[in-house]
Amino acid sequence: DRQCQLFIVFAAVLIAAGGTLIPSMLRSSVRAVLAETRSFMSSSREPTGVSVCYITVPNSEEADKLAGKLVESKLAACVNVIPGIQSVYTWQGKVEKDNELLLMVKTRSTLTQRLSTFVKEHHPYDVPEVICADITDGLPDYLKWVKE
């Protein structure tokens, strides 16, 4: 990725210099590569309409219960339950360390606010962790399935 960025800068400098630094027959090739690279880089950053949300839970019972409710209520297409994480955080002025599970929730981006509210209402923590991010790339058939 860094090499690609350096190439783009180098090519832009060569073209900005009027192309005098490279033979004329290469100018069109450099411009074509530069345009293709810009197109690829910008298209890979566009939202797909799918988001992933991360939610920590204290145990497998809570994980199964919350994951099931999210899928049944159509707020999630899929929830992966990832065991064996350890969280270190400050709570009420004290450093805490807990073993938890992580729910990786795939959902439509339009549902993340409703999902957050739902988690707040059904989660055992006073302040549950709900962090969502837009998915900018993925297997098109999978992304389509999540949005259905």
Side-chain angles (χ1 to χ4, degrees):
D1 192 26
R2 180 74 177 137
Q3 288 177 336
C4 183
Q5 291 172 344
L6 290 173
F7 174 76
I8 291 170
V9 170
F10 177 71
V13 167
L14 292 176
I15 291 170
T20 58
L21 300 176
I22 55 175
S24 61
M25 59 190 251
L26 290 178
R27 269 186 235 140
S28 62
S29 296
V30 170
R31 283 192 174 116
V33 168
L34 185 58
E36 186 66 29
T37 303
R38 279 189 195 133
S39 171
F40 171 76
M41 290 178 74
S42 65
S43 68
S44 65
R45 299 189 193 286
E46 294 175 12
T48 60
V50 175
S51 291
V52 61
C53 298
Y54 299 100
I55 304 164
T56 52
V57 292
N59 55 53
S60 60
E61 291 170 11
E62 290 293 336
D64 291 343
K65 189 165 50 171
L66 188 56
K69 286 179 181 179
L70 287 168
V71 173
E72 287 168 10
S73 66
K74 306 280 188 217
L75 290 172
C78 176
V79 179
N80 301 112
V81 178
I82 305 167
I85 67 164
Q86 187 175 75
S87 297
V88 179
Y89 57 96
T90 302
W91 183 249
Q92 299 177 343
K94 193 172 141 189
V95 175
E96 301 285 344
K97 186 174 172 181
D98 287 314
N99 293 321
E100 296 181 298
L101 292 89
L102 181 66
L103 303 182
M104 187 171 69
V105 181
K106 278 73 72 184
T107 187
R108 294 190 310 268
S109 298
T110 57
L111 296 177
T112 58
Q113 288 297 320
R114 285 180 44 202
L115 182 142
S116 294
T117 301
F118 184 92
V119 170
K120 176 73 175 147
E121 293 170 356
H122 294 90
H123 200 287
Y125 294 165
D126 293 335
V127 182
E129 175 183 347
V130 181
I131 299 171
C132 301
D134 289 331
I135 301 298
T136 58
D137 200 4
L139 184 65
D141 288 342
Y142 182 80
L143 298 173
K144 180 182 173 190
W145 172 77
V146 171
K147 289 189 279 188
E148 291 175 350

